[in-house]
Amino acid sequence: MGSTAVGLSQLIYDTIMSCPIETRRDLFQNIVLVGGTSTMTGLPERIEQDLSALAPESVHINLSIADSADTVTWTGGSCLAGSVQFGSSLLSRDQYEEYGSGAVHSMFYFDDKPYMHSKLPFS
């Protein structure tokens, strides 16, 4: 109500459409909802209905909810925090203050190549 933000279905659609064309059909057929919100009554059906209206008619939408949907994001975060690479993916407050919010983008996504760290002097 009064918000200019797009809905979840539109975000999913826009994300898939920003991917290479040869991957889009597979992405539409492999959408997995995670997080506690994904278990809201009617949400999966609504997203599937919305995406069916947005996607080309020839594309089949397959949407599922992850097992343990309410804890899977916590589990993933826990695995990430426990990984060897986790320490090298952190940005200190001093680094943020020196390089600004662009440092986050530079650390994790630039030149269409995610997870490249070489453009910052502290990498």
Side-chain angles (χ1 to χ4, degrees), residues 57-106:
E57 283 186 32
S58 62
V59 173
H60 172 72
I61 306 297
N62 184 32
L63 187 136
S64 61
I65 298 175
D67 294 336
S68 304
D70 55 342
T71 60
V72 72
T73 50
W74 184 90
T75 302
S78 176
C79 290
L80 174 64
S83 72
V84 176
Q85 296 87 1
F86 183 67
S88 65
S89 66
L90 300 177
L91 182 67
S92 73
R93 181 184 182 115
D94 289 341
Q95 291 167 330
Y96 181 83
E97 289 175 353
E98 182 175 351
Y99 299 102
S101 61
V104 176
H105 182 76
S106 296

Side-chain angles (χ1 to χ4, degrees), residues 8-78:
L8 183 56
S9 301
Q10 186 69 50
L11 287 172
I12 294 168
Y13 175 79
D14 290 348
T15 300
I16 291 173
M17 295 306 288
S18 72
C19 294
I21 194 165
E22 63 273 9
T23 64
R24 293 176 189 167
R25 185 174 301 276
D26 288 338
L27 293 172
F28 276 117
Q29 293 175 352
N30 292 287
I31 299 168
V32 180
L33 299 179
V34 298
T37 306
S38 66
T39 61
M40 289 176 53
T41 303
L43 181 67
E45 294 81 7
R46 171 65 186 269
I47 292 174
E48 191 167 349
Q49 177 184 2
D50 291 350
L51 288 174
S52 293
L54 291 167
E57 283 186 32
S58 62
V59 173
H60 172 72
I61 306 297
N62 184 32
L63 187 136
S64 61
I65 298 175
D67 294 336
S68 304
D70 55 342
T71 60
V72 72
T73 50
W74 184 90
T75 302
S78 176

